[in-house]
Amino acid sequence: MTNQTKTSPKYSPEVRERAVRMVFEHRAEHASQWSAITSIAAKIGCTAQTLSTWVKQAECDQGLKPYGIHTSSWAIAVLYPSMRSMRRSRPRAMVLGPGGL
């Protein structure tokens, strides 16, 4: 038995940019963004998940989505530290409830 490993095809930056642009341009013609992604991914020969990752990155690069690919990254980096500081600034009695218990 031969040991063959799958390698991912490399797509040129031009192909990636064109595919992402097609998703943005044809989004209105589909029921959802995912539907547009699956349709276009089949045409260019990549997986829908790959194209979805490219689209998410482009949205972040263009300022359409906050902070990196994952919104959870943004929440961890931006929201949680501010929540932590708010908790620290509250008086102890408010944290414990009425009567300080």
Side-chain angles (χ1 to χ4, degrees):
M1 188 167 22
T2 61
N3 186 8
Q4 296 178 357
T5 58
K6 285 187 174 183
T7 58
S8 299
K10 301 296 180 192
Y11 298 95
S12 69
E14 294 80 16
V15 169
R16 291 178 186 212
E17 290 170 13
R18 182 164 185 255
V20 168
R21 189 173 52 249
M22 288 174 68
V23 170
F24 291 150
E25 291 171 355
H26 297 282
R27 166 61 180 92
E29 299 168 12
H30 295 272
S32 66
Q33 182 169 314
W34 181 253
S35 175
I37 288 171
T38 55
S39 172
I40 293 164
K43 292 174 185 170
I44 67 165
C46 73
T47 66
Q49 188 58 48
T50 297
L51 180 52
S52 175
T53 301
W54 298 346
V55 169
K56 287 178 186 178
Q57 185 62 56
E59 288 172 336
C60 293
D61 293 347
Q62 295 173 14
L64 301 174
K65 295 274 184 169
Y67 199 89
I69 290 180
H70 302 288
T71 306
S72 60
S73 300
W74 175 80
I76 290 168
V78 176
L79 295 178
Y80 292 151
S82 63
M83 290 170 53
R84 195 174 318 135
S85 66
M86 287 187 333
R87 281 191 209 116
R88 290 181 185 150
S89 67
R90 290 191 299 189
R92 185 77 172 146
M94 288 180 68
V95 173
L96 295 175
L101 297 175

